[in-house]
Amino acid sequence: MKAHEIMVKEVYKVKASDTVRDVVERFIEHRISGLPVVNDRNEIVGYVSDGDIMRYIGKHHDLIVDIVYYSAVFKGDDVEFEARAKELLDLNVMEIARKKVMKAAWDEDIESIAATLGNKKIKKLPVERNGVLAGIISRGNVIRETFRSLL
C-alpha cells in the first residue's frame, strides 16, 4: 500500500506569511495539533505543532514564571502574562515552525511510513508529490489501513 492510497487529501495548512494566531485559530477550529507550512507555490517549507508552541513557551519559562509571580503578588491579575501570550500570537509562524520537515513521498510504502512515524515519534507526515503538498498521513491512517482487513 502506498502513501497516496491512505493519505488525507484535504489538508489544513498555513502559509509561511501567517502568524501563530492563524495557527492557533486553525488548531481550535479543526481540533488538530499540527499543520504543514507552505509557500505560495504550495511547497512544504515548515511544520508547526502544539509542541512547537510549548517549546517556545518553555524557552521563556523564567520570564513567564517571573511575570506570573509578579502579577499574582503585586497586581492580582495576569496583565503581563497576557501581553506575553499576545506577543507570541503575533509572531510569524516561521519563527517557531520546524524548517527541517519529515515528509512522505507520494508513492512511499506504508511500512516505511509506519517506521518513520514510530521511530521519529511524530504524529503526522505531510505527503509530497512533485515538490508540493499533496496530503497528510497520521498514525491513525496507518493503523486503520493496516488492520482494517484483519479484524
Side-chain angles (χ1 to χ4, degrees):
M1 195 171 301
K2 304 290 185 180
H4 68 275
E5 296 175 288
I6 66 169
M7 71 182 191
V8 174
K9 294 170 184 70
E10 300 293 323
V11 182
Y12 300 119
K13 59 189 174 185
V14 289
K15 291 195 174 200
S17 58
D18 285 344
T19 64
V20 174
R21 179 182 312 276
D22 298 315
V23 170
V24 172
E25 286 172 352
R26 283 184 183 81
F27 282 1
I28 293 168
E29 178 184 353
H30 302 295
R31 296 179 176 217
I32 57 175
S33 59
L35 293 162
V37 183
V38 298
N39 62 19
D40 291 333
R41 294 180 303 276
N42 207 38
E43 297 166 327
I44 304 164
V45 296
Y47 193 90
V48 63
S49 70
D50 54 0
D52 298 313
I53 292 171
M54 293 301 108
R55 276 187 287 283
Y56 182 87
I57 291 170
K59 187 168 38 174
H60 298 91
H61 177 266
D62 294 339
L63 175 63
I64 290 171
V65 169
D66 290 346
I67 288 169
V68 171
Y69 175 77
Y70 175 80
S71 295
V73 173
F74 299 105
K75 289 186 170 184
D77 61 27
D78 290 332
V79 172
E80 296 283 339
F81 183 77
E82 287 178 19
R84 179 76 182 120
K86 186 179 265 190
E87 179 182 314
L88 170 61
L89 289 174
D90 292 334
L91 288 178
N92 176 273
V93 65
M94 292 305 291
E95 292 186 52
I96 66 166
R98 283 172 274 140
K99 285 122 187 117
K100 185 177 178 183
V101 181
M102 299 293 304
K103 307 170 204 169
W106 171 263
D107 59 352
E108 191 169 338
D109 290 322
I110 193 170
E111 295 90 344
S112 173
I113 293 166
T116 300
L117 290 168
N119 294 336
K120 299 295 182 180
K121 298 180 182 170
I122 54 179
K123 297 176 186 175
K124 298 177 185 172
L125 278 177
V127 178
E128 189 175 61
R129 182 179 192 193
N130 299 324
V132 298
L133 178 65
I136 196 155
I137 296 176
S138 70
R139 292 177 181 183
N141 299 124
V142 173
I143 289 170
R144 276 188 297 280
E145 293 304 321
T146 300
F147 296 104
R148 183 184 315 266
S149 64
L150 301 176
L151 297 176

